[in-house]
Amino acid sequence: MKEEGITTHVASMKKGKIKGKYGYDVEVDIAFKDVNPEDYDILVISGGKGPEKMRLDKDALEITKHFFEKNKPVAAICHGPQVLVSAGVIKGRKATCWIGIRDDIIAAGALYEDSEVVIDGNFVSSRSPDDLYAFGREMIKLLK
Amino acid sequence: MKEEGITTHVASMKKGKIKGKYGYDVEVDIAFKDVNPEDYDILVISGGKGPEKMRLDKDALEITKHFFEKNKPVAAICHGPQVLVSAGVIKGRKATCWIGIRDDIIAAGALYEDSEVVIDGNFVSSRSPDDLYAFGREMIKLLK
């Protein structure tokens, strides 16, 4: 998808149409295994039930590690930080998440904060869809 | 509910009818806040989306701690171990769970095993509905 000079890819376990929680179709352009993380400027991990599956995909975890190792921008919301727990990159990082997984990111060593958006260097996180405005605002700042 | 000399209570955040994942009604007899854990011989924590809410209920966590502190029988399946993470009782215990939360119980210090049922003293756990036979068998053994 190309918008105002920004090219975005929706990646998942496999290419093709997937149905969102409210029945909308989303086109997955690329499978995690075909992603070269060097080609991307930011990694955005959304929430819902997806992260519990994404965290089991070894290619998704490699992509995630690349972004943290190279200190490239990462944004995660709701259940998204579950992927960061599995990639082993959240320890010692300031973060927030969906309250139902709060104790998991704390157990994994995150420095949890209950705020609409938490900024830790090139890593931003938010709690829920209610925080989307603040999440988007800080995500875009990372790209400037 | 009374069955073959066994009295069971379904506890949740509040009393009343709740609807299960497949639309069945379940009657909640007692709210967590009204449970005296001394009155019970076993704690069974089921899975699904419930544990992400139950783990935020301080009374549910107190009940859970009571069972572990007194070394009384506990059985947890699927997402159930999320409650054990929040209660701070899973560290150093052999356990299994739904694969999507595997890395969370490992981060919390559980000794994870990929088996249909894992028995660690008075604590048994299973992965998914496919393991229900083994889960039920070992749960009943704890009461004998």
Side-chain angles (χ1 to χ4, degrees):
Chain A
M1 192 166 68
K2 242 183 147 78
E3 228 170 280
E4 294 178 27
I6 297 174
T7 306
T8 60
H9 278 154
V10 177
S12 190
M13 274 65 80
K14 56 180 186 180
K15 263 187 87 161
K17 258 195 190 66
I18 50 173
K19 211 171 267 303
K21 186 172 169 182
Y22 296 106
Y24 293 104
D25 283 329
V26 176
E27 194 66 41
V28 175
D29 316 298
I30 190 165
F32 292 131
K33 69 177 173 51
D34 297 320
V35 169
N36 176 6
E38 298 281 355
D39 296 343
Y40 297 86
D41 297 315
I42 185 169
L43 170 66
V44 181
I45 307 176
S46 57
K49 290 169 155 191
E52 268 200 22
K53 291 177 182 160
M54 182 179 167
R55 73 192 309 190
L56 299 172
D57 185 292
K58 68 177 176 27
D59 299 300
L61 298 185
E62 287 308 316
I63 295 165
T64 307
K65 284 178 196 164
H66 165 90
F67 276 80
F68 276 85
E69 279 162 11
K70 305 283 180 189
N71 195 29
K72 285 164 71 174
V74 175
I77 189 165
C78 302
H79 284 74
Q82 290 182 317
V83 178
L84 310 184
V85 170
S86 294
V89 295
I90 208 167
K91 194 173 175 180
R93 302 301 301 256
K94 284 193 283 180
T96 196
C97 60
W98 179 252
I99 194 168
I101 60 158
R102 174 194 63 194
D103 297 344
D104 300 323
I105 76 163
I106 292 171
L111 310 170
Y112 176 82
E113 288 178 23
D114 182 16
S115 308
E116 61 175 3
V117 65
V118 173
I119 304 148
D120 179 356
N122 262 340
F123 166 43
V124 301
S125 51
S126 286
R127 300 168 303 191
S128 77
D130 290 343
D131 301 334
L132 273 172
Y133 181 80
F135 184 63
R137 181 188 70 221
E138 298 303 326
M139 191 198 307
I140 286 163
K141 278 192 198 160
L142 292 181
L143 291 173
K144 285 189 174 160
Chain B
M1 190 166 66
K2 242 182 149 74
E3 227 170 281
E4 293 178 24
I6 297 174
T7 306
T8 59
H9 278 152
V10 177
S12 190
M13 275 65 80
K14 57 181 185 181
K15 264 186 86 158
K17 257 194 190 69
I18 50 173
K19 210 170 270 299
K21 186 173 171 183
Y22 297 106
Y24 294 104
D25 284 329
V26 176
E27 194 68 39
V28 175
D29 316 299
I30 190 166
F32 292 131
K33 69 178 173 52
D34 298 319
V35 168
N36 176 5
E38 298 282 356
D39 296 343
Y40 297 85
D41 296 316
I42 185 169
L43 171 66
V44 181
I45 307 176
S46 56
K49 291 168 153 192
E52 268 201 21
K53 290 177 181 160
M54 181 178 167
R55 73 191 310 190
L56 298 172
D57 185 293
K58 68 176 177 26
D59 298 302
L61 298 185
E62 287 307 316
I63 295 164
T64 306
K65 284 178 196 165
H66 165 89
F67 275 81
F68 276 85
E69 280 163 10
K70 303 282 181 191
N71 195 29
K72 285 163 70 173
V74 175
I77 188 165
C78 302
H79 284 75
Q82 290 183 316
V83 178
L84 309 184
V85 170
S86 294
V89 295
I90 208 167
K91 194 173 175 180
R93 303 301 300 257
K94 284 193 283 180
T96 195
C97 60
W98 179 253
I99 194 169
I101 61 158
R102 174 194 62 196
D103 297 343
D104 300 323
I105 75 163
I106 292 171
L111 311 170
Y112 175 82
E113 289 179 23
D114 183 15
S115 309
E116 60 175 4
V117 66
V118 172
I119 305 149
D120 178 356
N122 261 340
F123 166 43
V124 301
S125 52
S126 285
R127 300 168 304 191
S128 77
D130 290 343
D131 300 334
L132 274 172
Y133 181 81
F135 183 64
R137 180 188 70 221
E138 298 303 327
M139 190 198 307
I140 287 163
K141 277 191 199 162
L142 292 181
L143 292 172
K144 286 191 171 159

